[in-house]
Amino acid sequence: MSASPVPLLTRLQTTFDGLVAALPNVMIALVVLLVFMLLSRLALNGVRSVAQRAGQTPGVALVFGRLASWLITTLGVLVALTIIFPTLTAASLFSALGVSGVAIGFAFKDIFQNLLAGLLILVTRPFRIGDQIVSGEHEGTVEDIQVRATLLRTYDNRRVVIPNGELYTNRVVVNTAFDRRRLAVQVGIGYGDDIDGARALILEALDANPEILADPAPTVLVRSLADFSVNLEVRFWIDPPIRREAVESEDRVLQALKETLVAAGVDLPLPTQQVLFHDQTEETDGDRRRQREGWPAGKGASPRPARLLKEQVAPEEGRGGPADGSAPERRDA
């Protein structure tokens, strides 16, 4: 029994008739899509122009222009689909987009969070390209602020990609936010040195350095009375406040302070400790009820000093001890 080709031909004829009937709708949809694409290009240029006149950077203006262009293009595609498929109404289309949008939102939550954070960073501008920032364990120069992440170049020439959501929600230190930066180094002098004299020498050494700003003026403060030194904190300002200038300025200041203070006879003490043995203090050492923790007696006290004891070996049969094996006799030194 041979198969009849009539059903297949009928189906092909029906499909062809549907395509011919849909051609006007397809042509209209293409025209509508072209119009929306033209509008998207106009919106791109218009939004960029408005954003630049509002004081935004070219990068921010370009991002907003692209967002406007994408929105108009997406709207044009939806309108074209409703023209080609008349049964596809706007209500059913948006309801389907709503359900799928919820699923996409859960699936790409982190991406959308970084996208929104990137837009907020571009708008609020807490830092800009070229700024030197510190974020968590990373420090370096901002190379680019993208929609999803920010590119950071560390001082040892490595690139760190930081998600914008992390930068926007966590603390960020911008070292180059202002045109000047205050640095501080510490130097220790001896307890027998004159603090005012050392302060004058330090300020004189800073005045001789052309990299140190005169306004605000440098200051020298006593920060602590340490175990072996009086610690002074030297504060000074530099411009520009970039990392390389800060490190080099600290290097020159510390070198100048060391040379100046040593030349003037100011002591730069090293850590020292004093160890006192029991036979260097009092005869009561060793008696925990009367011991003074190893410190010498003060003025007016006259305890009898403890004496060193040494063994006296009776000379018998050369260098041996007593013949009976008893303990050697002790006497006062």
Side-chain angles (χ1 to χ4, degrees):
M1 181 178 180
S2 59
S4 175
V6 176
L8 178 59
L9 295 177
T10 303
R11 183 173 300 178
L12 292 175
Q13 183 66 32
T14 304
T15 304
F16 180 75
D17 293 341
L19 290 176
V20 172
L23 280 178
N25 292 338
V26 173
M27 297 300 296
I28 295 175
L30 290 177
V31 173
V32 170
L33 184 59
L34 290 176
V35 171
F36 272 93
M37 292 180 65
L38 179 61
L39 292 176
S40 68
R41 179 59 60 89
L42 295 177
L44 172 63
N45 296 330
V47 172
R48 288 181 61 183
S49 184
V50 171
Q52 288 181 356
R53 285 199 299 268
Q56 299 293 336
T57 61
V60 176
L62 178 61
V63 169
F64 280 104
R66 287 176 177 175
L67 288 177
S69 176
W70 293 341
L71 289 175
I72 295 177
T73 303
T74 303
L75 181 61
V77 171
L78 297 178
V79 173
L81 289 176
T82 57
I83 295 175
I84 297 175
F85 305 101
T87 57
L88 185 64
T89 61
S92 61
L93 184 62
F94 281 107
S95 62
L97 289 177
V99 174
S100 60
V102 172
I104 293 174
F106 278 108
F108 298 96
K109 179 183 65 174
D110 294 337
I111 295 178
F112 290 141
Q113 179 182 1
N114 293 327
L115 175 64
L116 180 59
L119 294 177
L120 293 175
I121 289 175
L122 289 172
V123 173
T124 58
R125 289 186 291 181
F127 53 85
R128 304 179 182 181
I129 296 176
D131 279 336
Q132 294 182 348
I133 66 173
V134 181
S135 176
E137 299 179 355
H138 306 293
E139 180 177 358
T141 304
V142 178
E143 283 193 326
D144 192 12
I145 304 175
Q146 300 177 351
V147 177
R148 190 194 67 85
T150 296
L151 303 182
L152 195 68
R153 184 175 184 177
T154 61
Y155 302 130
D156 55 355
N157 203 29
R158 293 183 295 172
R159 172 173 292 177
V160 181
V161 181
I162 305 177
N164 289 328
E166 180 179 340
L167 286 176
Y168 192 77
T169 56
N170 296 333
R171 294 180 178 87
V172 177
V173 179
V174 184
N175 290 331
T176 54
F178 305 101
D179 56 349
R180 292 175 294 183
R181 180 179 176 183
R182 195 194 74 182
L183 302 177
V185 297
Q186 284 200 358
V187 59
I189 63 175
Y191 273 88
D193 294 319
D194 182 25
I195 296 178
D196 292 333
R199 181 183 285 117
L201 291 172
I202 292 173
L203 294 177
E204 182 180 352
L206 294 179
D207 291 338
N209 191 337
E211 300 176 357
I212 308 302
L213 298 180
D215 186 19
T219 57
V220 181
L221 305 175
V222 178
R223 295 297 295 169
S224 63
L225 302 178
D227 296 336
F228 56 90
S229 65
V230 178
N231 292 332
L232 306 179
E233 183 174 271
V234 183
R235 299 178 177 179
F236 55 93
W237 295 79
I238 62 170
D239 182 16
I242 61 178
R243 172 71 174 180
R244 179 176 59 84
E245 295 292 339
V247 173
E248 292 179 355
S249 297
E250 289 179 348
D251 170 72
R252 296 188 182 95
V253 166
L254 288 173
Q255 181 178 353
L257 294 183
K258 189 261 184 185
E259 295 174 352
T260 301
L261 294 176
V262 171
V266 177
D267 186 20
L268 300 179
L270 298 174
T272 57
Q273 293 180 340
Q274 184 179 11
V275 179
L276 299 178
F277 296 97
H278 290 302
D279 59 358
Q280 293 177 288
T281 56
E282 304 170 17
E283 62 180 356
T284 57
D285 289 339
D287 185 355
R288 301 302 297 172
R289 297 170 298 178
R290 303 170 60 192
Q291 185 172 338
R292 300 179 63 253
E293 299 302 333
W295 289 101
K299 291 183 178 181
S302 58
R304 185 169 63 88
R307 298 185 177 183
L308 296 175
L309 299 177
K310 63 180 179 179
E311 298 179 353
Q312 179 181 8
V313 180
E316 182 172 342
E317 295 183 359
R319 300 175 59 184
D324 58 357
S326 60
E329 182 182 359
R330 297 176 180 268
R331 65 179 181 83
D332 290 342

